[in-house]
Amino acid sequence: MTNHTGLASHRRLPAAVWVLVVARGVNRLGAFTLPFLAVVLTVELGATVAQAGLVLTVFGVATLPSRVFGGWLADRLGRRWTIVFGLVGCAVGQVWIAASGSLWSAVPAVVVLGLAFEIYEPPSQAIIADVTEPADRPAAYGLLAAVMAVAGVVAGLLAAWLGQWDLRWLFVADAVSCLACAVLVAIALPGGGQAAPAAAAVWRDRPLLLVLASGTVFAVLAMVIVFSLPLTLLDRGVPASGIGLILAVSAIAQVAVQPVLRTRRLQALENFQAMTLGYVLLAAGLIANGFSRSLLAFMVAAVVWSLADLILIGRALSIVAELAPEHARGRYLATYGLSWGVATAVAPLLGSQVYAAAGPVGLWVGCGLAAVALAAFQPRLRREVRSQPPQSG
């Protein structure tokens, strides 16, 4: 087993990790259609704004069982073929939307897309746990997160360019990227994962539920950034285009700080110690959002909270992978991933209400204090997790 104090290197990560990183990057480059879905529904298919909003809500609801099903399927069918199944399902949904001639044809297509949309997340995360040593998992998960962030920014630029033409072709292009990713995964990734017992005590695993609760608060804070930072920029007189620059800086920072994740000092930290550090950094970045007055200041804050995100995501997934029995990693990681679905539903309402009541300073200082509370909770969480015997199935 790799020593925590050794210098981890991306060059020695297993080939399967690199294949997965490249495949997910390709897929993320093509995932530029969602911002245009409402436009297609209203302009192309004649839906009202209210109808389009309802359809998008249905899509969001459908993604929740999608992740759970992906975790179950990863442990039953195997990691590789679950990823392929999910990607092909996404491609079917995208092509169906592009070919729809009416709203009522597009609605079931959107449901299919939602049900397939998150299937590939749990098996992707489980593969990394399957093929890496515990000491290398934070770096592997961090690399995947960084590549996804950069690809997301590039995808936005591609969408702005391609969106000048027929919007339906965006969905076709996304479907092609899904199929290309599926072919790469089918050819180059190992099967991974053994058949699981009929049941796994996921929802009776107290340490997992505690980690899930902590992770849900973190996910809400992360999504508040997405939904409320544009409001703060407008309040401070920063051009609306600044959010695109900030997201680009965030993505670049996640790649640039990869060597930091591999330093001896950070590698030597036990997972919960690193989480404490990550939450302190997150608190600093969030509070800086509240007092920033220029685009440059917001960019500096973005570098801080981006480094925090990278530490926290990699270490949290490593903790969940360590908690899970090998045959149930897909379901454990899928359960933890539900935190992001909850956050996506909660953060817009919470952020807007706090923003309206307390203003930008109150919102971001409050978020920073929540991050400090999470940092203070990590030693107790570690004791709870370490005191519980591992689940056997």
Side-chain angles (χ1 to χ4, degrees):
M1 184 173 294
T2 305
N3 192 311
H4 274 279
T5 60
L7 183 62
S9 171
H10 285 156
R11 289 176 297 181
R12 70 165 193 233
L13 289 175
V17 173
W18 287 104
V19 170
L20 189 61
V21 165
V22 171
R24 292 300 308 281
V26 169
N27 180 233
R28 186 71 179 91
L29 282 174
F32 42 57
T33 55
L34 286 182
F36 295 92
L37 182 54
V39 179
V40 169
L41 292 172
T42 53
V43 175
E44 301 280 341
L45 301 178
T48 66
V49 173
Q51 288 172 329
L54 181 59
V55 173
L56 292 177
T57 299
V58 169
F59 169 82
V61 171
T63 62
L64 292 176
S66 171
R67 185 180 287 267
V68 175
F69 180 59
W72 179 85
L73 204 59
D75 294 333
R76 303 290 293 181
L77 181 64
R79 323 294 198 217
R80 176 176 57 184
W81 295 116
T82 298
I83 294 174
V84 171
F85 177 76
L87 291 168
V88 171
C90 286
V92 170
Q94 298 278 13
V95 172
W96 189 349
I97 291 171
S100 294
S102 69
L103 175 63
W104 303 115
S105 173
V107 168
V110 170
V111 172
V112 168
L113 180 61
L115 291 174
F117 198 73
E118 298 283 354
I119 286 177
Y120 57 70
E121 286 287 355
S124 298
Q125 296 165 354
I127 283 177
I128 290 178
D130 291 340
V131 302
T132 56
E133 297 287 348
D136 292 328
R137 284 174 192 158
Y141 285 126
L143 177 63
L144 181 62
V147 169
M148 292 288 285
V150 172
V153 172
V154 177
L157 298 176
L158 287 174
W161 177 59
L162 293 174
Q164 303 173 66
W165 294 283
D166 190 338
L167 293 180
R168 292 174 185 261
W169 284 106
L170 292 176
F171 292 86
V172 174
D174 198 348
V176 170
S177 78
C178 287
L179 294 176
C181 181
V183 170
L184 179 58
V185 167
I187 293 174
L189 275 184
Q194 301 174 352
V202 175
W203 292 104
R204 296 196 302 272
D205 190 327
R206 175 179 167 82
L208 174 65
L209 297 181
L210 289 171
V211 173
L212 172 60
S214 177
T216 300
V217 177
F218 162 63
V220 169
L221 295 177
M223 294 308 297
V224 166
I225 293 175
V226 173
F227 291 113
S228 297
L229 191 55
L231 298 176
T232 306
L233 295 180
L234 293 175
D235 186 83
R236 299 289 161 77
V238 178
S241 60
I243 189 62
L245 293 174
I246 290 171
L247 293 177
V249 167
S250 172
I252 293 169
Q254 291 190 47
V255 174
V257 301
Q258 288 291 314
V260 176
L261 298 181
R262 306 194 304 273
T263 58
R264 289 183 182 274
R265 182 164 296 181
L266 193 55
Q267 281 284 101
L269 294 178
E270 190 267 344
N271 281 332
F272 290 97
Q273 292 175 325
M275 294 282 285
T276 301
L277 171 63
Y279 282 124
V280 170
L281 287 173
L282 180 62
L286 292 172
I287 292 173
N289 282 343
F291 293 96
S292 295
R293 298 284 174 178
S294 67
L295 180 58
L296 178 60
F298 281 110
M299 287 180 174
V300 172
V303 171
V304 176
W305 52 253
S306 296
L307 174 58
D309 284 353
L310 207 55
I311 294 172
L312 293 167
I313 290 172
R315 295 290 185 152
L317 291 172
S318 299
I319 290 168
V320 176
E322 183 181 337
L323 281 172
E326 184 176 353
H327 64 261
R329 279 177 178 154
R331 280 166 289 177
Y332 269 64
L333 289 162
T335 300
Y336 179 77
L338 292 175
S339 59
W340 292 96
V342 173
T344 302
V346 170
L349 179 61
L350 178 65
S352 61
Q353 293 298 312
V354 176
Y355 192 95
V361 174
L363 171 66
W364 296 113
V365 170
C367 288
L369 292 177
V372 170
L374 286 172
F377 179 63
Q378 294 310 298
R380 179 178 175 182
L381 182 58
R382 180 187 184 278
R383 289 193 298 271
E384 290 279 353
V385 169
R386 301 302 185 212
S387 67
Q388 297 291 324
Q391 292 287 334
S392 58

